[in-house]
Amino acid sequence: MGESSMMAERRSILPAAVAWHGVRYEPVEAMARFVLRGSDAVCSTAAEVIGLSNPSVLRASHDEHRAILWQGPDEWLILAPEVERVALLQRLETALAQAPHALVDVSHRNVAVRLEGEAATRLLATGIMLDLDEAAFPVGMTTRTLFGKADVTLWRQAPQRFHLETWRSFAPYVIGLLQAGARGL
Amino acid sequence: MLLIECPYCGPRPELEFRYGGEAHVARAADPATVDDEHWTAFLFWRGNPKGLHFERWRHASGCGRFFNCARDTVSDVIVKTYKAGEPKPDAARLMTGTTP
Ligand SMILES: [Zn+2]
C-alpha cells in the first residue's frame, strides 16, 4: 500500500462563500488546530514557540496567520496554517516535554466560518445570546458560547468581522440557522 | 433568563451552565477507614434547604470550569458565586438583605 493511500483527505463540508444581505459568509480554509491544556506557564511556553503572546482572559492573541484563543483558565485553542501542522506539533511537544500538559490535534474536529459586514452582529444575534455590542464584546474578544444549541467559539476579529468555530458535526446545524437568519436580514 | 456570574467569564446566560449538585461535600482522605453510614452520607445524603443553598455549577458552554454558587432556593436569587476551592462563605452574612 502506498503512502498516499494512507493519508486522509479533508473535504470541506461547508457551503461555498456567499453574500447575504449585509453579511458576507465565507468558509475558513482548513487549518491546524490544537487544544492546549495546562498552567499559564504552559501557554506562555507554547506562545513563545508560535511567536505570539499569552492571551488574557476572553481574548485572542494573533498575527496574520496564527492565533491563540483563550477558552478557559487552563485551556487554549491554537490556530495555524494547515501546512505547519506536523512541524508545529513537534516543536510544541519538544518545548513542553518537561511540563505537565495536554496537547491534542483537533484539526479534523473543528470547522470555521467567517462572517463580515454591517449586519454580522444582527445575524449572529439570531443564534447567540451574548451582547455583541462593541462595548460588551470588543474586537479581540473570544469565547465559547452557544449558537442555538451548538457549542461554538466566537472571535471578533474586526468591528464587523467574526470567526465562528464549531465542531464538524454541528456545522450543518449552525450553517442552517445562519442561512435561515440571513433570510430575515 | 437568569444571568449567572461565572468567576472567570463574568455574567453569562443561564443556558451556558450546568447544575452540579450540592457543594462542599468533601470526600474522606482515606475512604477505607470510613464506615458504611458515613460513606452512605457522603454518596447519597444531600441537603434540601428552603433558603440559602451552596451548590456546584459548571460553565459548560463557556470556560468549562466548575465553580460554587450560593443560591436562595425560595427566590432563585444567586447571592454569590466563587471559585472551587475557595472557603464556603458565611451564610448569615450572605443572606442579609437578599430575601425579598
Ligand atoms: Zn466561565
Side-chain angles (χ1 to χ4, degrees), chain A residues 70, chain B residues 6-10 12 17 59 62-65 67:
Chain A
W70 187 94
Chain B
C6 170
Y8 300 95
C9 306
R12 301 287 286 255
F17 296 84
H59 194 188
C63 64
R65 301 306 301 194
F67 60 91

Side-chain angles (χ1 to χ4, degrees), chain A residues 4-178:
Chain A
S4 60
S5 65
M6 306 271 288
M7 303 276 282
E9 185 194 344
R10 195 175 308 168
R11 262 187 234 129
S12 180
I13 58 161
L14 301 172
V18 59
W20 291 322
H21 190 72
V23 193
R24 181 176 163 75
Y25 152 90
E26 202 174 59
V28 172
E29 59 283 0
M31 300 184 88
R33 294 180 167 88
F34 308 123
V35 169
L36 176 65
R37 301 204 62 168
S39 66
D40 230 28
V42 160
C43 184
S44 296
T45 303
E48 205 172 305
V49 169
I50 301 165
L52 297 172
S53 59
N54 186 347
S56 53
V57 173
L58 294 171
R59 291 294 183 276
S61 68
H62 67 97
D63 60 20
E64 209 182 322
H65 301 292
R66 296 159 205 87
I68 305 176
L69 276 57
W70 187 94
Q71 299 265 275
D74 65 351
E75 182 179 353
W76 297 268
L77 178 65
I78 297 168
L79 306 177
E82 163 74 5
V83 292
E84 296 178 7
R85 188 171 61 86
V86 175
L88 182 56
L89 192 59
Q90 280 168 358
R91 284 167 61 216
L92 288 169
E93 281 294 14
T94 304
L96 294 169
Q98 302 305 316
H101 71 282
L103 180 66
V104 181
D105 185 342
V106 296
S107 308
H108 290 240
R109 188 192 70 181
N110 287 20
V111 293
V113 303
R114 202 174 289 121
L115 296 169
E116 181 161 22
E118 49 89 17
T121 52
R122 261 191 298 143
L123 177 59
L124 285 166
T126 63
I128 287 179
M129 295 171 279
L130 303 180
D131 183 355
L132 297 177
D133 189 277
E134 268 194 86
F137 204 107
V139 172
M141 183 165 171
T142 180
T143 184
R144 247 191 313 237
T145 185
L146 288 166
F147 191 98
K149 293 185 175 184
D151 276 323
V152 296
T153 292
L154 183 66
W155 170 24
R156 186 174 219 153
Q157 297 177 320
Q160 297 187 352
R161 189 174 77 241
F162 292 84
H163 175 105
L164 182 70
E165 181 121 1
T166 190
W167 288 15
R168 169 178 299 271
S169 60
F170 295 169
Y173 168 84
V174 170
I175 303 235
L177 283 181
L178 284 172

